[in-house]
C-alpha cells in the first residue's frame, strides 16, 4: 500500500469535520439570535453562505432541542433565559473570547460612578464582577441586569421602562428613549451585532434607537466586541466606531482588520 493511500483521510474524518462545521454554524445561529431575537431563513442562508434547505435543517435541529421556534419565513429564540442556562457553547465562547474583554471593562469602572449597561449578552458577563466596584449607580433597559444586581445594597439601579421585548428580556420604544434623555452617566458599556468596516450595525431598529439614546447621555461609551463580530453584514447602522471612547476586543481579531482600524484612528484596544 502506498504512503499516499495510507495517509489519505478516512471517511470518518470527513464526517467529523462536517459534524464540527454543522455544530459551529448552529452555535453561531444561536449567538445571532441572542443579539437580535429573530432572523429570517433568507438572511441566515446568505449570512452563512449555505442553502435555505441547510438552514431549515439547522432550524429543525435547534427546534428539536427546544431552543428556538420556527416562524413564517424565519426563526426566533424560544426562551432566552432557558437557552442561556442550557447551551454550553455560550459559556465556552465567553471563556475563550470575552473573559479578558470583560475584566478590562470592569477595571475601567470607579466606585461612585454612574454607568449604563445595555441588554447585550456580552455586557451581561460583567455583572458578577460589579458588586466589587460598589458603590455604583446602574442605568439599564435590561431586566436581567436588574435581577442580577438587585441583591447588592451598594448598587443603585435605575431601570428604563417602555415596551417590553420578551425575546431580549429588555425594554425599548419611545418611553424608554424619553426616560434615558432625563438622565446622565459617566460611561456606557455596550455591544453590537456586527462591525463592518468602521461602522457598528444592529439588526433591530428599535435596539438601535435605544442604544443611540443611551450613548447620548454618557460622557464616554465603551464598545465590547469579541473578534467574531468583525464581519460583513448588519442591517441598521448604529454609529461610526469613532464615536466610541474605546473599543475592547480580543487578540483573535484579524491583523489586517486591526491595522485598518488603527490607521483610521479608531480607539481600539486588544485585551
Amino acid at each position: 500500500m502506498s504512503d499516499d493511500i495510507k495517509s489519505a483521510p478516512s471517511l470518518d474524518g470527513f464526517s467529523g469535520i462536517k459534524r464540527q462545521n454543522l455544530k459551529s454554524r448552529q452555535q453561531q445561529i444561536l449567538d445571532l439570535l441572542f443579539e437580535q431575537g429573530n432572523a429570517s431563513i433568507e438572511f441566515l442562508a446568505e449570512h452563512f453562505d449555505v442553502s435555505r434547505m441547510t438552514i431549515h435543517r439547522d432550524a429543525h435541529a435547534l427546534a428539536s432541542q427546544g431552543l428556538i421556534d420556527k416562524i413564517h419565513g424565519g426563526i426566533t429564540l424560544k426562551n432566552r433565559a432557558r437557552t442561556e442556562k442550557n447551551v454550553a457553547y455560550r459559556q465556552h465562547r465567553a471563556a475563550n473570547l470575552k473573559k479578558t474583554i470583560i475584566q478590562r471593562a470592569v477595571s475601567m469602572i470607579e466606585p461612585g460612578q454612574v454607568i449604563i449597561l445595555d441588554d447585550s449578552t456580552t455586557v451581561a458577563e460583567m455583572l458578577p464582577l460589579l458588586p466589587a466596584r460598589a458603590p455604583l449607580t446602574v442605568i439599564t433597559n435590561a431586566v436581567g441586569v436588574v435581577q442580577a444586581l438587585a441583591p447588592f445594597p451598594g448598587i443603585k439601579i435605575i431601570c428604563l421602562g417602555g415596551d417590553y421585548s420578551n425575546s431580549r428580556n429588555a425594554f425599548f420604544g419611545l418611553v424608554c428613549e424619553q426616560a434615558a434623555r432625563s438622565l446622565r452617566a459617566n460611561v456606557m458599556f455596550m455591544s453590537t451585532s456586527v462591525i463592518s468596516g468602521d461602522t457598528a450595525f444592529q439588526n433591530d431598529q428599535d435596539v438601535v434607537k435605544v442604544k443611540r439614546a443611551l450613548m447620548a447621555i454618557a460622557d464616554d461609551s465603551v464598545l465590547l466586541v469579541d473578534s467574531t463580530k468583525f464581519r460583513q453584514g448588519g442591517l441598521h447602522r448604529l454609529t461610526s466606531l469613532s464615536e466610541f471612547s474605546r473599543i475592547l476586543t480580543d487578540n483573535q481579531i484579524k491583523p489586517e482588520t486591526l491595522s485598518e482600524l488603527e490607521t483610521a484612528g479608531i480607539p481600539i484596544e486588544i485585551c
Side-chain angles (χ1 to χ4, degrees):
M1 183 178 292
S2 71
D3 289 339
D4 287 341
I5 295 177
K6 288 180 181 178
S7 61
S10 67
L11 292 177
D12 287 342
F14 283 123
S15 297
I17 292 172
K18 290 176 69 176
R19 285 194 298 271
Q20 184 178 14
N21 290 340
L22 173 64
K23 183 179 180 182
S24 175
R25 186 174 60 250
Q26 291 176 6
Q27 290 173 348
Q28 291 178 62
I29 289 172
L30 278 176
D31 193 61
L32 189 149
L33 293 180
F34 268 95
E35 293 294 341
Q36 64 187 63
N38 57 71
S40 70
I41 296 298
E42 183 176 357
F43 169 81
L44 293 171
E46 180 178 351
H47 180 76
F48 292 104
D49 193 24
V50 296
S51 69
R52 292 168 59 90
M53 185 57 67
T54 295
I55 295 298
H56 277 294
R57 285 196 292 267
D58 288 340
H60 179 75
L62 294 171
S64 68
Q65 299 174 60
L67 302 176
I68 69 163
D69 281 325
K70 292 190 284 185
I71 56 179
H72 180 68
I75 58 177
T76 185
L77 200 61
K78 185 168 187 175
N79 186 306
R80 188 185 186 94
R82 177 183 173 185
T83 306
E84 283 180 330
K85 180 178 179 181
N86 292 312
V87 182
Y89 89 90
R90 291 189 57 77
Q91 298 173 351
H92 177 71
R93 185 169 183 267
N96 285 346
L97 298 179
K98 297 179 182 177
K99 185 176 180 180
T100 55
I101 297 174
I102 299 308
Q103 291 174 337
R104 174 62 180 129
V106 172
S107 76
M108 298 170 64
I109 299 173
E110 298 291 337
Q113 283 187 321
V114 178
I115 67 173
I116 301 171
L117 303 178
D118 76 354
D119 69 306
S120 65
T121 57
T122 300
V123 168
E125 300 290 338
M126 297 174 62
L127 300 179
L129 304 178
L130 292 182
R133 314 300 288 186
L136 292 172
T137 297
V138 175
I139 301 170
T140 187
N141 66 318
V143 176
V145 172
V146 177
Q147 293 171 331
L149 298 180
F152 300 97
I155 299 181
K156 177 181 179 180
I157 304 169
I158 300 175
C159 183
L160 306 175
D163 296 328
Y164 177 72
S165 167
N166 184 62
S167 64
R168 298 187 69 93
N169 195 28
F171 294 100
F172 300 94
L174 183 61
V175 172
C176 186
E177 296 163 38
Q178 290 177 334
R181 295 189 186 104
S182 67
L183 301 168
R184 193 72 196 174
N186 298 111
V187 59
M188 177 179 182
F189 295 93
M190 59 180 287
S191 190
T192 193
S193 301
V194 176
I195 294 178
S196 182
D198 63 353
T199 304
F201 289 88
Q202 195 73 36
N203 292 315
D204 187 315
Q205 61 182 346
D206 291 329
V207 177
V208 168
K209 292 177 182 178
V210 168
K211 286 182 188 286
R212 285 179 177 171
L214 291 172
M215 289 179 68
I217 67 169
D219 295 333
D220 295 297
S221 296
V222 179
L223 184 66
L224 316 182
V225 281
D226 65 68
S227 54
T228 65
K229 300 270 182 89
F230 292 85
R231 60 180 187 266
Q232 295 298 314
L235 181 58
H236 299 286
R237 184 182 186 276
L238 175 60
T239 188
S240 167
L241 297 184
S242 62
E243 294 299 311
F244 295 100
S245 308
R246 192 164 302 180
I247 298 166
L248 306 182
T249 191
D250 60 80
N251 60 11
Q252 297 301 305
I253 185 173
K254 294 179 180 178
E256 58 270 27
T257 301
L258 177 61
S259 178
E260 290 172 0
L261 294 174
E262 289 178 335
T263 300
I266 301 301
I268 189 166
E269 178 180 333
I270 306 301
C271 301

